Amino acid sequence: GNSVTQMEGPVTLSEEAFLTINCTYTATGYPSLFWYVQYPGEGLQLLLKATKADDKGSNKGFEATYRKETTSFHLEKGSVQVSDSAVYFCALSGGTSYGKLTFGQGTILTVHP
Amino acid sequence: EPEVTQTPSHQVTQMGQEVILRCVPISNHLYFYWYRQILGQKVEFLVSFYNNEISEKSEIFDDQFSVERPDGSNFTLKIRSTKLEDSAMYFCASSEITGYEKLFFGSGTQLSVL
């Protein structure tokens, strides 16, 4: 079956540091890949997505590239801000299962001034 | 931006009791979902719902669970006889018929079964 593995967390960075959160996946077929973010007290929000190999999703300075050869979708940001502190979830959906997302375990990011 | 609303934010119940978790999806959305996250574990898909019927359900979604859209605006998850292991954060989500993969999630209901 489908599965998503995220790097172990939590991650603590200083403001303006470079961020990488690793995500690898196992899936049959050609899944779409997502990063969702959850800010304190809020629901999960779609941060970015990629629907086919070599696509790059980007939003709010975050980027992730769909790498089929390494089955990865790592999240990066060149310069994090305190406001980026949140929980980040990598996820995939595959085939005809509309809205059935398979999530990674989530990575807590804390950014200090 | 429109949002999915879930009530209550916290619910405490005794084992064996029935609970109903409530959600108000975004008004023009047609697909509805429930997910849950047990503390320390991954967010897991429970069920999807479209056109007043279940589209897909996971193996977790057994006969103790049911979903309903009773009045065209609410979407509910009922657990008939709660168990300790049902303690989790339950997330409701909705999506449009097109761009269905962009799910909008509520902030969750933390269910504690004692």
Side-chain angles (χ1 to χ4, degrees):
Chain A
N2 296 340
S3 69
V4 176
T5 301
Q6 284 181 238
M7 64 185 294
E8 296 295 326
V11 175
T12 303
L13 295 173
S14 298
E15 205 164 27
E16 299 183 5
F18 184 85
L19 169 70
T20 300
I21 301 177
N22 290 339
C23 172
T24 57
Y25 67 90
T26 303
T28 54
Y30 304 95
S32 296
L33 302 175
F34 308 87
W35 278 99
Y36 276 81
V37 59
Q38 184 180 28
Y39 299 104
E42 299 183 16
L44 283 75
Q45 303 172 26
L46 180 64
L47 180 61
L48 53 84
K49 73 175 185 180
T51 57
K52 62 183 188 296
D54 300 324
D55 267 3
K56 178 186 284 188
S58 61
N59 187 24
K60 299 182 182 180
F62 291 90
E63 294 182 337
T65 301
Y66 189 141
R67 301 284 188 201
K68 190 167 170 59
E69 65 276 13
T70 54
T71 61
S72 65
F73 192 55
H74 304 321
L75 182 68
E76 297 182 336
K77 186 174 185 181
S79 176
V80 292
Q81 305 299 312
V82 172
S83 57
D84 294 327
S85 298
V87 184
Y88 292 81
F89 295 90
C90 185
L92 67 81
S93 74
T96 58
S97 298
Y98 297 151
K100 182 182 178 182
L101 298 176
T102 300
F103 283 91
Q105 59 266 49
T107 300
I108 301 172
L109 171 65
T110 304
V111 181
H112 292 299
Chain B
E1 186 171 66
E3 58 182 28
V4 175
T5 305
Q6 288 187 245
T7 55
S9 57
H10 293 87
Q11 180 141 7
V12 180
T13 190
Q14 297 291 324
M15 189 170 55
Q17 294 296 304
E18 174 183 286
V19 295
I20 298 176
L21 308 183
R22 303 181 190 280
C23 170
V24 179
I26 294 171
S27 61
N28 63 334
H29 285 187
L30 298 177
Y31 287 88
F32 313 109
Y33 314 88
W34 284 100
Y35 283 78
R36 78 172 187 188
Q37 185 179 29
I38 295 171
L39 187 64
Q41 299 185 24
K42 296 182 179 183
V43 177
E44 304 171 289
F45 170 81
L46 292 179
V47 66
S48 60
F49 189 86
Y50 170 70
N51 199 26
N52 282 320
E53 60 183 28
I54 290 174
S55 304
E56 187 166 2
K57 59 184 181 179
S58 71
E59 59 274 12
I60 302 167
F61 195 89
D62 61 21
D63 291 344
Q64 292 297 315
F65 291 89
S66 62
V67 289
E68 191 178 32
R69 189 153 162 80
D71 57 14
S73 62
N74 291 284
F75 180 52
T76 62
L77 174 69
K78 181 192 290 186
I79 309 175
R80 288 190 182 81
S81 178
T82 50
K83 307 182 185 71
L84 296 176
E85 55 265 35
D86 293 327
S87 295
M89 178 72 85
Y90 287 82
F91 294 104
C92 174
S94 67
S95 65
E96 296 177 84
I97 190 167
T98 58
Y100 58 83
E101 289 174 327
K102 182 174 182 178
L103 271 61
F104 290 77
F105 284 82
S107 55
T109 293
Q110 180 65 55
L111 176 65
S112 298
V113 183
L114 305 179

